[in-house]
Amino acid sequence: MSINKKLMRDTLLYATGPVFNKIIAFFLIPFYSYILIEHELGYYDLILTSSQLIVAVGTLKISDSLYRWLMDNNIDDDLRTSAISNSFAVIMASILLMLVINYAIPAGSGPMHKNLICLLIITVLLLGHLFQLLRGLKLIKEYAYVSIFNGILLLCSNIILLGIFHLRLQGVMLSLVISNSICILYISYRIHLLSFLKINMVNSVVLKSMIKYSAPLVYNAISWWLMGGFDRYVIAGFLGLDANGIYAIAAKFSAVIILINSFFLPAWQDMLLKESNLFSVKMQFSKMLNLYITLLLSLVILLSSLSKIFIEHAIDPRYYEAWKYIPVLLAGNALLALTSFIGTLYVLERNTYHIFITSVLGSVVNILISVLLINSVQLYGPGLGMLSGFLAIFLVRYFYYKKRISIQIQLRPLLLLFTIFIFVMWCLYFANRSFYYVSIFIAITTFLLVNRKLGLELFRTISNTLLRSKTGNT
């Protein structure tokens, strides 16, 4: 299977920073498990989950609109400046509104001060917007470097505030605020942000046009939050914050799948938006979909097999039962990645309405199953709800585009991988220790074999990139 080399190079660039950043965040999980008790970790997870919804609704998803406008109008300086100025007008209005609301809300008696939570949300908002700006300006290397920088800052801040000053939950939150704030200042200086911000370029026509594109994405974001965030409130409400802390550990481990999606999807999306030949897009899409399904399913098998041994040796014993829920969450996140992959076609067509409709369907399925099952199967309920919701979205989107661009999924390798997945799950949950280690070996072998072509192409791309760097050909 021939893989688009430009896509591979862009994927590597997108991967460099975010992967490093996410790896840092991943290895902070064991650190947090020994520092924070279940209640604190559950509370922290609720704050992060809530911030995602607040940022999406509060900014009207204007960052997505900015990226789309810059990809269309990057050559025209006036259009570019106008899009950036208008988007920041929305961002500044959102920040002002958050500050007013924060001031109006009485201080609670929880472990985190409300002002720190507000500051965290603002820094997440600004950094996310600036990352989209870097993507829209095609500054992929800067995007990668800042992500690496952010990860290093987060690690250092956590070591100092938690390891030395023993600030616990407050230290975790402050670490995120500090790392985000420094990166915001760096990006603003590096790209001369003030030169793009002109008050006279803010006008209602451009602003309405951008919001018209982004507003349906707010409903989509709410639906996605209901898919991946509302379950935290269901767990906290039915089972308590301690259970949410255990679920958070499982969710953070399974988020490795999202890591793969976070660097592959932007590169794929960029390629689609730059591609003027619709026939070429249709030809590549089916090949890339099958490649992605194989990669994700083999990764689910591999990570599921390693979940128990990771939790046993890396996480505090009070979170041990988290391993049980990881395979379900991994499968759900794999389906999330596939729905996002097909969703890039909606972005290409600016069909945000269908994005919203399919996301609403998935969120309804997720909520119903989560609430109905949580009392009977405990934390498996939200996991199965998420899995079912993303499966519903994937099937609807798949059959919608199957008629339009002739998507063909290769069933034979899919059935083989699914059979191996069932065997690994049996070994993980029911077999003795010897069979469990055999399943790990099979999972690793399977992952290497089915992704060998992708691995070779990746190796060639890295080698060629390094050779060009040595010879000065950039």
Side-chain angles (χ1 to χ4, degrees), residues 97-148:
L97 178 62
M98 289 179 194
L99 291 172
V100 170
I101 293 174
N102 178 67
Y103 179 77
I105 295 175
S109 58
M112 282 306 309
H113 195 276
K114 67 186 181 75
N115 291 335
L116 184 55
I117 297 175
C118 180
L119 187 58
L120 170 66
I121 294 172
I122 290 173
T123 59
V124 169
L125 183 158
L126 280 172
L127 187 59
H129 192 68
L130 288 172
F131 271 134
Q132 288 289 67
L133 176 57
L134 289 177
R135 286 184 63 203
L137 295 175
K138 299 183 177 68
L139 300 175
I140 303 177
K141 289 183 179 180
E142 284 76 5
Y143 176 89
Y145 296 153
V146 176
S147 295
I148 293 174

Side-chain angles (χ1 to χ4, degrees), residues 236-451:
F238 282 86
L239 304 177
L241 283 175
D242 286 1
N244 195 54
I246 293 171
Y247 190 82
I249 292 291
K252 290 183 185 300
F253 182 88
S254 63
V256 173
I257 297 287
I258 305 302
L259 168 62
I260 301 298
N261 198 51
S262 67
F263 66 76
F264 177 80
L265 193 65
W268 171 249
Q269 190 177 66
D270 283 0
M271 192 198 77
L272 284 184
L273 295 178
K274 294 172 187 174
E275 181 62 66
S276 57
N277 189 339
L278 188 59
F279 177 76
S280 177
V281 169
K282 293 178 179 179
M283 291 296 292
Q284 291 186 69
F285 189 86
S286 191
K287 292 181 179 179
M288 292 305 301
L289 178 62
N290 280 285
L291 174 72
Y292 206 31
I293 289 174
T294 301
L295 172 63
L296 290 171
L297 185 50
S298 62
L299 194 58
V300 168
I301 293 170
L302 175 63
L303 294 176
S304 295
S305 70
L306 296 173
S307 60
K308 183 188 288 188
I309 200 168
F310 173 81
I311 296 295
E312 283 180 353
H313 296 286
I315 303 297
D316 188 277
R318 58 178 169 240
Y319 295 99
Y320 175 71
E321 69 171 289
W323 73 265
K324 299 176 183 178
Y325 316 110
I326 289 174
V328 177
L329 295 177
L330 283 169
N333 283 331
L335 284 167
L336 184 159
L338 289 175
T339 59
S340 300
F341 181 82
I342 296 181
T344 55
L345 293 176
Y346 289 123
V347 175
L348 181 65
E349 298 177 343
R350 297 196 182 189
N351 190 353
T352 52
Y353 175 76
H354 274 240
I355 295 177
F356 165 62
I357 292 298
T358 54
S359 299
V360 167
L361 169 66
S363 63
V364 170
V365 172
N366 175 34
I367 292 171
L368 286 175
I369 292 179
S370 297
V371 173
L372 288 174
L373 294 181
I374 193 165
N375 283 326
S376 57
V377 296
Q378 303 290 297
L379 290 177
Y380 285 109
L384 291 171
M386 184 188 75
L387 176 64
S388 303
F390 284 125
L391 178 61
I393 297 175
F394 173 75
L395 291 175
V396 171
R397 291 184 178 182
Y398 171 74
F399 285 110
Y400 175 79
Y401 275 108
K402 181 177 174 61
K403 300 176 182 178
R404 306 182 68 187
I405 61 174
S406 301
I407 302 175
Q408 294 294 330
I409 292 180
Q410 298 173 0
L411 292 178
R412 185 176 297 177
L414 190 62
L415 290 174
L416 176 61
L417 285 173
F418 189 72
T419 302
I420 295 172
F421 176 73
I422 296 297
F423 172 75
V424 169
M425 290 303 98
W426 178 80
C427 293
L428 183 64
Y429 286 97
F430 306 111
N432 59 33
R433 204 69 177 178
S434 298
F435 269 101
Y436 173 58
Y437 287 127
V438 168
S439 72
I440 293 177
F441 174 77
I442 292 174
I444 294 172
T445 304
T446 300
F447 180 80
L448 294 175
L449 286 177
V450 301
N451 295 296

Side-chain angles (χ1 to χ4, degrees), residues 24 28 150-160:
I24 293 294
L28 281 173
N150 185 254
I152 294 172
L153 288 170
L154 183 64
L155 177 62
C156 294
S157 299
N158 273 282
I159 291 173
I160 294 171

Side-chain angles (χ1 to χ4, degrees), residues 175-199:
S175 297
L176 206 52
V177 170
I178 290 169
S179 59
N180 286 351
S181 299
I182 294 175
C183 288
I184 289 166
L185 293 174
Y186 175 77
I187 295 175
S188 301
Y189 170 78
R190 181 69 179 83
I191 65 174
H192 306 288
L193 179 61
L194 292 178
S195 66
F196 291 108
L197 303 179
K198 300 185 184 298
I199 296 177

